[in-house]
Amino acid sequence: MVSKRRPLHPSGQNMNFRGSAAADGRAESKGTRPTTAPTSVWEVLTMMVLYVCKKAIFYDINLKVAIYLGSLFLVSLIGDFIPYPRTYFSRSDNLFNQYFVKIGWFWTLILTIPYTFITSYILCCGDAKRMVKHHIVRIAIATGVWYMWTSMFNIIESSLGRCTDRRFDTKPTCLKAGHLWNGFDISGHAFILIYSSLMLIEEARPIVCWEAIKEHLRNEEHNRTTMDSAAARNPLTNLKDDEIARLSYLYTRYTPIVRLLFVAMTVLQLLWDVMLVSTMLYFHKMIEKVVGGIIAILMWFFTYRFWYAMPTILPDPVGKGLFAYQKEKARPEPIPLRRNPSVIINPSTGKPIPRFMGMPLYTGRPEAANTTNISNGLNPEPGPSRY
């Protein structure tokens, strides 16, 4: 007859399982990090769309500038000698030219202003004065650059041009009479399309690592709740409690709008690239388009790469706020140049000494023997050379 098994530990202690925190007198660890909430299907689809948009708009901007300049020169030069086949985009009254390019700066501002306003307001933790002073000023500067140069283009064309009918000496009267005005017409389309594209790319950069703010908020709130002084430092550590509360509220409420505006900015930037190709193919002369493109690129470089990068002069660069959430990619260290493995240098004379299969070639001369001893750090016993 089978009897019952005896317990493994007669004393009643269960050694196969750990006791609870209350049983062994240990409290719950403060350093345990809160876990992220489950990701919904909608959130996954949103992240996929944002990923595609980031890949499209954040293409290497230095390479894009080079492509702009090269295409303006090459494609336009070919079109000056060999006309391209006419298409819908060759008509100046096409839908995109009439309702988008001719009022292109309006479409750029209608997306850039709210996007910059919301993202900078969040990064400044609700400090409206700092947001306007350090970030919105960039939009005002860009608008001033656009207005100044487009006005300058009209002045240059009117001053250096001539009517086909000599009786009219001003552009408005010439055009009103039904004649043509021949002048150096710098391409305002090339200028505004390139400048708007570069501005959209620069102002859209706060979206990079934007999702990391959610993780920083969760960890920082946990650290402050548990008073865990041993926890790793967080980018939000130096913020005050009221700033953390405002940041959490603003980030949660306005992140969906930030994402939507970013997707719209990406679509608009791609549309500007398409219309730039149309301008290269069908409108203006090569020199007029190249001059307009060069001015746009110079203005972008002066403002976003030189002026805004200076820490002592306002406004601030894009994405700068009361905390840093974007990590800069570390540049790879340069590969050191390797010496020729078949040669070593005599430290006393500075002359090379040949080696074969990693071993010095002894010549029997005292100089070579001494050099070998120095190089290998050996002190052999005195005596005649083996060779």
Side-chain angles (χ1 to χ4, degrees), residues 314-329:
L314 294 178
D316 284 345
V318 179
K320 183 178 180 181
L322 296 180
F323 59 95
Y325 67 100
Q326 295 177 334
K327 296 181 180 179
E328 296 183 0
K329 293 183 179 180

Side-chain angles (χ1 to χ4, degrees), residues 52-54 56-58 64 68 95-97 99-115 189 192-204 259-277:
V52 174
C53 290
K54 290 177 184 178
I57 196 172
F58 294 133
K64 177 167 284 191
Y68 282 157
L95 176 67
F96 297 100
N97 189 53
Y99 298 101
F100 286 93
V101 179
K102 288 190 175 181
I103 53 174
W105 195 249
F106 165 78
W107 291 110
T108 300
L109 291 183
I110 204 173
L111 294 178
T112 306
I113 289 178
Y115 181 86
H189 283 186
I192 193 174
L193 291 173
I194 293 178
Y195 189 63
S196 296
S197 292
L198 296 177
M199 178 186 171
L200 285 170
I201 295 172
E202 294 289 354
E203 292 295 334
R259 294 172 176 173
L260 181 61
L261 288 172
F262 171 70
V263 174
M265 291 170 67
T266 304
V267 174
L268 183 62
Q269 197 276 322
L270 295 176
L271 176 61
W272 288 163
D273 283 348
V274 172
M275 297 311 299
L276 180 61
V277 174

Side-chain angles (χ1 to χ4, degrees), residues 52-298:
V52 174
C53 290
K54 290 177 184 178
K55 286 295 183 180
I57 196 172
F58 294 133
Y59 186 75
D60 188 351
I61 193 168
N62 296 320
L63 180 58
K64 177 167 284 191
V65 167
I67 293 174
Y68 282 157
L69 287 177
S71 301
L72 280 175
F73 176 77
L74 185 60
V75 176
S76 303
L77 183 62
I78 295 174
D80 287 347
F81 294 95
I82 307 175
Y84 293 102
R86 312 303 289 180
T87 63
Y88 175 74
F89 289 97
S90 63
R91 297 167 47 184
S92 60
D93 61 344
N94 70 74
L95 176 67
F96 297 100
N97 189 53
Q98 287 290 329
Y99 298 101
F100 286 93
V101 179
K102 288 190 175 181
I103 53 174
W105 195 249
F106 165 78
W107 291 110
T108 300
L109 291 183
I110 204 173
L111 294 178
T112 306
I113 289 178
Y115 181 86
T116 303
F117 183 94
I118 295 174
T119 54
S120 58
Y121 191 63
I122 294 174
L123 296 178
C124 293
C125 299
D127 189 344
K129 293 183 178 180
R130 180 182 178 88
M131 178 264 297
V132 174
K133 182 179 179 181
H134 292 256
H135 295 281
I136 300 300
V137 178
R138 293 194 306 269
I139 308 299
I141 293 172
T143 303
V145 170
W146 161 79
Y147 182 79
M148 178 186 69
W149 282 108
T150 51
S151 301
M152 187 68 66
F153 295 161
N154 292 329
I155 294 174
I156 293 174
E157 183 188 10
S158 299
S159 302
L160 303 180
R162 180 179 299 176
C163 186
T164 54
D165 190 335
R166 297 297 181 87
R167 295 177 300 173
F168 304 98
D169 56 355
T170 61
K171 181 180 178 180
T173 58
C174 177
L175 297 179
K176 187 176 181 180
H179 302 290
L180 296 178
W181 183 266
N182 297 321
F184 186 63
D185 185 14
I186 300 176
S187 178
H189 283 186
F191 169 81
I192 193 174
L193 291 173
I194 293 178
Y195 189 63
S196 296
S197 292
L198 296 177
M199 178 186 171
L200 285 170
I201 295 172
E202 294 289 354
E203 292 295 334
R205 293 193 184 279
I207 200 68
V208 178
C209 299
W210 185 261
E211 307 304 324
I213 299 178
K214 182 178 181 180
E215 183 74 15
H216 296 325
L217 279 170
R218 181 169 54 249
N219 292 335
E220 184 61 24
E221 290 174 355
H222 174 266
N223 294 340
R224 298 193 182 197
T225 301
T226 59
M227 303 297 290
D228 188 2
S229 59
R233 290 187 61 83
N234 191 291
L236 311 180
T237 301
N238 295 328
L239 296 182
K240 301 176 183 178
D241 291 340
D242 58 336
E243 293 173 339
I244 288 289
R246 289 198 299 269
L247 174 62
S248 178
Y249 170 76
L250 294 173
Y251 178 83
T252 304
R253 181 174 182 179
Y254 293 110
T255 289
I257 302 177
V258 170
R259 294 172 176 173
L260 181 61
L261 288 172
F262 171 70
V263 174
M265 291 170 67
T266 304
V267 174
L268 183 62
Q269 197 276 322
L270 295 176
L271 176 61
W272 288 163
D273 283 348
V274 172
M275 297 311 299
L276 180 61
V277 174
S278 174
T279 302
M280 294 178 189
L281 295 175
Y282 302 115
F283 303 102
H284 292 276
K285 299 177 182 178
M286 181 272 291
I287 186 62
E288 296 171 344
K289 287 177 279 191
V290 170
V291 171
I294 290 176
I295 293 175
I297 292 171
L298 289 178

Side-chain angles (χ1 to χ4, degrees), residues 30-46:
K30 291 184 178 181
T32 303
R33 286 292 177 207
T35 58
T36 59
T39 305
S40 63
V41 176
W42 174 255
E43 188 73 10
V44 172
L45 295 176
T46 302

